Amino acid sequence: MTSAERHISVLGREAVEWLAPRADGIYVDATFGAGGYSRAILGVAGTRVIGIDRDRTAIAGGFDLVDSSEGRLVLVQDRFSNLAEICAAQGVDAVDGVVMDVGVSSMQLDQAERGFSFRFDGPLDMRMGQQGPTAADVVAGASETDLANIIYIYGEERNSRRIARAIAAARKEAPIATTRALADLVARVVRAKPNEIHPATRTFQALRIFVNEELDELHAALCAAERVLKPGGRLVVVSFHSLEDRIVKNFLAERGKVSAGSRHMPEVAQAATSFEILTKRPVTPDEAEISANPRARSAKLRAAARTAAPAHAEDALPDWPRLADVLRGG
């Protein structure tokens, strides 16, 4: 059994149903992973897929699917924020659909050497693309204030200051270089309660998001999808925590907003709606899927169809901590 067969996409059936691939269409699987979406799309006659993943391990794992696709699947190792440029490099100006499964994959979590999970002891790495600063670099080099902000903003951790203070004190004695060392440190600071998540969960989430610049990447990828989708083309996004889902929800709400105006106020020019929102409420997994895969519990799917209106101007992101600034002390 291959890794692709072992790892089943969360909300995979629903995502492909909302994507609604049609014969001879061109699609972007922006987070290839184990290839679940790509495999389903390729099941429709004549479809072509451009698969993107930052992780070279995922790309290597998809070579068998490339070989069996008879030229209909191309894999590119890159950030999904670059999907418009990736399409252009493949000679594709517009596509019929874009699907994204945002965040860390089960395969990455299951590899101790990647350092994403405290379930296994391994190097404190967390890099999806295996390039650039690691989580250990951030833990060693960020100021106590920056660490507290990172853990609070990206992990939504109420005890962020206590955790940052403990990290700052501990690293004076010895480097915090492994997942177990960090998890044990946080567990000593944040008391575990029965039936609650491990005390280090939010800290690990925060560092992973920060190291991989995931929220900036997501927003840029959504804007890129808006630029490359044909009228009627569909965008489908599966996210796994509130920060991601909020970005997707706000992006679609802004671009799908229709203002009725007011007869009491002067008319204000408004950009034409570039998306029709298809999922008025997010699609969530059923109990059977959650039982089979507890990771699915927090998943939310949102889908929208591109209109013929021009793409909107790219919105400014919040002024949250950024990797380059923090590591150079900015």
Side-chain angles (χ1 to χ4, degrees):
M1 182 180 290
T2 67
S3 62
E5 292 168 328
R6 287 196 298 270
H7 294 276
I8 300 170
S9 301
V10 174
L11 289 171
R13 175 180 57 80
E14 293 86 347
V16 175
E17 286 177 356
W18 282 105
L19 188 67
R22 59 179 181 80
D24 301 318
I26 303 175
Y27 297 88
V28 176
D29 182 350
T31 49
F32 179 76
Y37 294 147
S38 291
R39 188 175 291 102
I41 296 165
L42 291 167
V44 177
T47 50
R48 292 171 56 197
V49 178
I50 299 170
I52 304 168
D53 206 293
R54 293 171 72 167
D55 192 337
R56 63 175 176 264
T57 304
I59 296 296
F63 288 163
D64 287 346
L65 186 57
V66 171
D67 290 343
S68 65
S69 72
E70 299 180 337
R72 293 193 292 133
L73 171 64
V74 173
L75 294 182
V76 179
Q77 184 186 350
D78 204 337
R79 294 173 178 243
F80 70 164
S81 59
N82 295 325
L83 69 86
E85 292 80 6
I86 292 166
C87 288
Q90 298 298 322
V92 174
D93 297 323
V95 302
D96 297 282
V98 176
V99 62
M100 307 176 185
D101 180 334
V102 184
V104 68
S105 73
S106 296
M107 292 184 296
Q108 290 166 332
L109 288 170
D110 290 344
Q111 295 171 336
E113 67 274 15
R114 301 297 301 276
F116 284 101
S117 174
F118 48 76
R119 291 187 295 122
F120 315 101
D121 193 22
L124 193 59
D125 193 317
M126 300 194 189
R127 297 170 300 170
M128 291 179 178
Q130 297 171 282
Q131 295 177 331
T134 66
D137 293 329
V138 174
V139 167
S143 69
E144 181 180 328
T145 298
D146 281 335
L147 281 171
N149 287 335
I150 291 164
I151 296 167
Y152 179 75
I153 293 169
Y154 296 120
E156 300 179 300
E157 171 59 74
R158 292 174 296 177
N159 298 291
S160 59
R161 290 185 180 180
R162 291 169 55 199
I163 295 168
R165 192 180 309 122
I167 290 172
R171 69 189 181 187
K172 292 177 182 177
E173 304 299 324
I176 304 169
T178 67
T179 55
R180 181 164 298 163
L182 179 60
D184 289 349
L185 174 64
V186 176
R188 290 195 294 270
V189 175
V190 181
R191 183 169 299 178
K193 297 179 181 179
N195 303 318
E196 287 195 356
I197 59 175
H198 188 283
T201 300
R202 293 188 178 94
T203 297
F204 270 67
Q205 171 188 296
L207 288 170
R208 190 204 83 219
I209 290 172
F210 181 71
V211 163
N212 294 290
E213 302 174 291
E214 291 179 38
L215 301 189
D216 287 354
E217 282 288 304
L218 172 58
H219 181 76
L222 294 171
C223 293
E226 181 183 25
R227 296 196 299 273
V228 303
L229 280 166
K230 298 176 182 177
R234 293 194 171 190
L235 172 66
V236 179
V237 185
V238 177
S239 59
F240 288 87
H241 62 70
S242 60
L243 293 172
E244 297 167 343
D245 182 59
R246 197 175 305 140
I247 288 175
V248 179
K249 178 182 178 181
N250 291 344
F251 175 88
L252 293 178
E254 180 63 29
R255 285 153 174 77
K257 182 168 57 182
V258 179
S259 175
S262 169
R263 62 190 178 91
H264 302 294
M265 299 289 289
E267 189 170 340
V268 178
Q270 178 184 333
T273 57
S274 58
F275 280 101
E276 175 194 356
I277 299 173
L278 303 176
T279 49
K280 303 307 179 186
R281 294 184 178 180
V283 178
T284 56
D286 58 25
E287 289 300 323
E289 181 167 9
I290 293 171
S291 177
N293 180 9
R295 178 177 177 252
R297 182 177 292 105
S298 60
K300 291 182 178 179
L301 180 155
R302 296 186 188 272
R306 187 71 169 85
T307 70
H312 287 212
E314 193 163 336
D315 309 313
L317 282 166
D319 186 24
W320 45 40
R322 287 182 165 81
L323 186 62
D325 295 336
V326 165
L327 290 186
R328 70 165 173 254

